[in-house]
Amino acid sequence: MIQTANWTRDGLVIQRPKTNDSIRRVKLFQNIIDDLKERYQQIEAYKKEYGDSYEDNELVCC
């Protein structure tokens, strides 16, 4: 999923980028990819632990 997280006066807003030009690809080093995979496993564990009270916005840092 491609989305942005922005702070506004009303709080955090999560939405798709405004234009297709806002979507960018970035190269990641393998150690970063490994860290992200580990973080994904942590998030999955949190989802199981907290159940419906876990607010999942499909973000790396929730």
Side-chain angles (χ1 to χ4, degrees), residues 21-46:
D21 290 337
S22 298
I23 301 171
R24 294 176 178 74
R25 291 185 179 263
V26 295
K27 277 191 171 186
L28 299 175
F29 292 107
Q30 187 60 49
N31 61 328
I32 301 296
I33 294 169
D34 294 341
D35 288 346
L36 289 169
K37 287 179 180 179
E38 183 178 327
R39 179 66 181 140
Y40 178 79
Q41 291 174 345
Q42 290 172 343
I43 291 169
E44 291 301 306
Y46 290 148

Side-chain angles (χ1 to χ4, degrees), residues 47-60:
K47 287 180 188 179
K48 287 180 184 174
E49 182 178 346
Y50 295 107
D52 290 340
S53 64
Y54 184 86
E55 185 176 336
D56 185 11
N57 293 307
E58 297 188 22
L59 300 171
V60 174

